[in-house]
């Protein structure tokens, strides 16, 4: 029997405009609202990410983070 889908946790998120546009685009294409789309991504995180690519992108993001905050 499938688990019932309940959004039991609420979390205020801060994200860049680019990230928010990408989230909205993904959610719309998948027929989900933004909260459901975020839940999908994190419930399936290991299956939808490439570990090497993720680590590379994370290093890039961290390297530019301070400059992007200013």
């Amino acid at each position: 029997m499938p688990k019932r889908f309940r959004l039991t946790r609420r979390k205020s998120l801060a994200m860049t405009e680019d990230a928010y546009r990408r989230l909205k685009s993904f959610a719309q294409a998948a027929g989900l609202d933004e909260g459901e789309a975020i839940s999908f991504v994190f419930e399936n995180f290991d299956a939808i990410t490439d570990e090497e690519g993720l680590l590379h992108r994370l290093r890039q993001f961290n390297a530019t983070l301070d400059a992007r905050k200013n």
Side-chain angles (χ1 to χ4, degrees):
M1 180 173 183
K3 290 190 291 186
R4 184 172 161 217
F5 189 79
R6 293 184 314 145
L7 297 175
T8 59
R9 303 286 188 263
R10 302 274 185 236
K11 179 73 175 149
S12 175
L13 298 174
M15 60 177 54
T16 64
E17 286 295 320
D18 289 341
Y20 186 66
R21 279 193 296 273
R22 182 66 183 107
L23 171 63
K24 286 181 63 167
S25 173
F26 169 68
Q28 184 179 21
L32 305 170
D33 68 30
E34 286 90 356
E36 293 165 341
I38 290 172
S39 290
F40 168 81
V41 168
F42 283 100
E43 284 182 13
N44 298 284
F45 191 76
D46 292 335
I48 63 174
T49 58
D50 169 54
E51 188 173 354
E52 282 185 33
L54 174 66
L55 295 175
H56 175 71
R57 295 284 181 153
L58 184 56
R59 282 191 295 274
Q60 284 180 322
F61 183 82
N62 283 332
T64 63
L65 188 56
D66 285 336
R68 294 172 69 182
K69 287 182 180 179
N70 295 325

